[in-house]
């Protein structure tokens, strides 16, 4: 009985895969111009980033990265690690691949924030929207990356663009979730104070909710960078240049030395980007308190300004 039921279910297979294929074929046939335009725009963005990074001499770029790390965190140890790590990458001969990977990661993280932050804000203000988005975000984060790499390859062709699209799909869920968390966790006392002082919805967003949610938004940016770096090798499978290419070659030729060197370069870049864009450790516990103080300071400033205007009017009337 159970075997017959299993055979009956197997014989009546739902056409899920066939429907997905038909949908991709429909897009390829009727929206080829649209996807070609998107590919051209994304390729231009990557080329411009790559040109900016490749124009500077390697040692000058190392000094700029070290100076940025010191200005942001004021730590000699982090600055020394940035200099030592980047010089080690140059010494191992992976500088050009590192620059290509860095351009792809920065383009992916920027695109994730440009799309993810507005979606997170909209989801925080509309609970029904986040209810709809949640299963989609879960699917994007759990489905194997090769599954949506195939349609990206069909729609955009070989090169950096399908790798960028697949990376964005994989990494964009983190900025959306963390932006939603930060905005939706704004204390009601702040929101009520904003309404009491006559803030419009736009002012409430820009002066109260976003400053309070800034630590979570920056955490989403860091997560997007880390997730983008994890897609380096997979992006190389569809023709994207970078550190994933030597790793793939090392896998094909069982070259342990080359694989370890390229993997170490990815680890160094990941640590540098994570440490530079991460908020200061000593100020992390008070980030929300700082945002709260900034918002309250703005409210009290408006209050005292209004009080002073009222006093001036009274004195003028007398």
């Amino acid at each position: 009985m159970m075997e017959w039921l299993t055979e009956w279910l197997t014989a009546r297979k739902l056409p899920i895969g066939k429907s997905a294929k038909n949908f991709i074929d429909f897009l390829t046939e009727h929206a080829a111009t649209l996807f070609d335009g998107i590919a051209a725009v994304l390729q231009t963005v990557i080329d411009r980033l790559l040109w900016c990074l490749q124009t500077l001499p390697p040692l000058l770029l190392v000094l700029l990265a070290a100076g940025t790390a010191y200005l942001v965190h004021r730590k000699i140890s982090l600055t020394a690690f940035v200099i030592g790590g980047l010089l080690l990458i140059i010494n191992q001969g992976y500088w050009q691949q590192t620059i290509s990977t860095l351009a792809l990661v920065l383009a992916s993280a920027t695109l994730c924030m440009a799309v993810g932050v507005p979606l997170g804000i909209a989801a925080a203000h509309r609970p029904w929207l986040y209810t709809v988005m949640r299963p989609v975000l879960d699917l994007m984060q759990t489905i194997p990356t090769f599954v949506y790499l195939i349609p990206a390859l069909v729609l955009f062709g070989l090169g950096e663009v399908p790798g960028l699209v697949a990376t964005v799909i994989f990494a964009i869920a983190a900025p959306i979730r963390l932006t939603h968390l930060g905005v939706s966790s704004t204390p009601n006392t702040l929101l009520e104070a904003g309404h009491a002082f006559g803030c419009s919805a736009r002012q409430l967003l820009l002066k109260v909710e976003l400053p309070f949610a800034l630590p979570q938004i920056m955490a989403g940016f860091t997560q997007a960078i880390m997730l983008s770096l994890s897609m380096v090798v997979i992006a190389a499978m569809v023709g994207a240049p970078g550190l994933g290419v030597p790793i793939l070659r090392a896998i094909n030729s069982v070259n342990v030395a080359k694989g370890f060197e390229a993997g170490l370069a990815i680890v160094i870049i990941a640590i540098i980007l994570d440490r530079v864009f991460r908020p200061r450790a000593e100020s992390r516990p008070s980030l929300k308190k700082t945002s709260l103080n900034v918002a309250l300071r703005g409210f009290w400033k408006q209050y005292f300004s209004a009080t002073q205007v009222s006093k001036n009017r009274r004195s003028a009337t007398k």
Side-chain angles (χ1 to χ4, degrees):
M1 181 64 182
M2 297 300 295
E3 294 180 358
W4 175 84
L5 183 58
T6 303
E7 293 177 358
W8 183 84
L9 288 173
T10 305
R12 287 156 179 80
K13 179 180 177 181
L14 296 176
I16 297 176
K18 187 176 181 180
S19 300
K21 181 182 181 302
N22 293 335
F23 178 68
I24 297 298
D25 292 340
F26 175 81
L27 292 179
T28 306
E29 182 178 355
H30 295 88
T33 305
L34 174 63
F35 287 105
D36 289 342
I38 295 175
V41 172
L42 294 179
Q43 188 63 52
T44 301
V45 172
I46 297 174
D47 291 340
R48 293 294 180 269
L49 278 173
L50 198 57
W51 180 84
C52 293
L53 294 174
Q54 289 179 341
T55 301
L56 297 175
L59 295 180
L60 179 59
L61 194 57
V62 171
L63 292 178
L64 288 176
T68 303
Y70 181 77
L71 289 176
V72 173
H73 292 278
R74 302 289 181 178
K75 287 186 177 180
I76 300 297
S77 58
L78 177 60
T79 306
F81 177 81
V82 171
I83 295 175
L86 295 180
L87 289 179
L88 179 61
I89 292 176
I90 296 175
N91 173 263
Q92 295 298 307
Y94 291 99
W95 182 254
Q96 293 301 324
Q97 293 91 330
T98 301
I99 291 300
S100 299
T101 296
L102 193 58
L104 185 63
V105 168
L106 291 178
S108 171
T110 303
L111 190 58
C112 286
M113 296 302 292
V115 178
V117 171
L119 286 178
I121 294 173
H125 291 163
R126 300 167 181 84
W128 65 266
L129 179 59
Y130 187 69
T131 303
V132 175
M133 291 172 57
R134 184 184 299 171
V136 179
L137 297 177
D138 294 338
L139 182 67
M140 291 165 60
Q141 286 188 305
T142 55
I143 192 171
T145 53
F146 296 101
V147 174
Y148 48 77
L149 193 63
I150 298 172
L153 181 61
V154 173
L155 296 174
F156 297 101
L158 287 171
E160 296 170 319
V161 175
L164 176 62
V165 172
T167 302
V168 169
I169 294 174
F170 179 69
I172 197 173
I176 294 176
R177 290 183 186 275
L178 289 171
T179 302
H180 169 267
L181 175 63
V183 174
S184 61
S185 61
T186 305
N188 290 328
T189 53
L190 281 182
L191 298 177
E192 292 172 358
H195 287 298
F197 284 104
C199 288
S200 62
R202 182 178 180 181
Q203 291 173 333
L204 204 64
L205 173 64
L206 296 179
K207 296 183 179 182
V208 179
E209 293 177 330
L210 287 184
F212 187 84
L214 185 60
Q216 285 81 7
I217 294 175
M218 289 304 299
F221 182 61
T222 305
Q223 287 294 316
I225 291 176
M226 295 299 104
L227 293 172
S228 299
L229 274 172
S230 67
M231 289 286 292
V232 167
V233 179
I234 297 176
M237 294 181 178
V238 293
L243 292 169
V245 175
I247 292 179
L248 281 181
R249 292 175 180 173
I251 292 174
N252 294 330
S253 60
V254 199
N255 191 332
V256 178
K258 181 181 287 294
F260 185 81
E261 292 170 355
L264 181 62
I266 294 176
V267 171
I268 291 174
I269 293 298
I271 294 176
I272 290 175
L273 292 176
D274 178 65
R275 296 299 185 271
V276 170
F277 289 105
R278 178 184 296 181
R280 293 186 182 183
E282 61 270 15
S283 63
R284 191 176 304 164
S286 60
L287 281 174
K288 290 186 178 181
K289 187 182 295 184
T290 303
S291 302
L292 182 64
N293 291 336
V294 170
L296 288 175
R297 207 162 34 233
F299 291 139
W300 284 116
K301 185 177 180 181
Q302 294 179 10
Y303 173 75
F304 286 125
S305 298
T307 304
Q308 187 65 33
V309 170
S310 178
K311 289 181 179 178
N312 293 337
R313 288 179 178 176
R314 291 177 182 176
S315 60
T317 303
K318 292 179 180 180

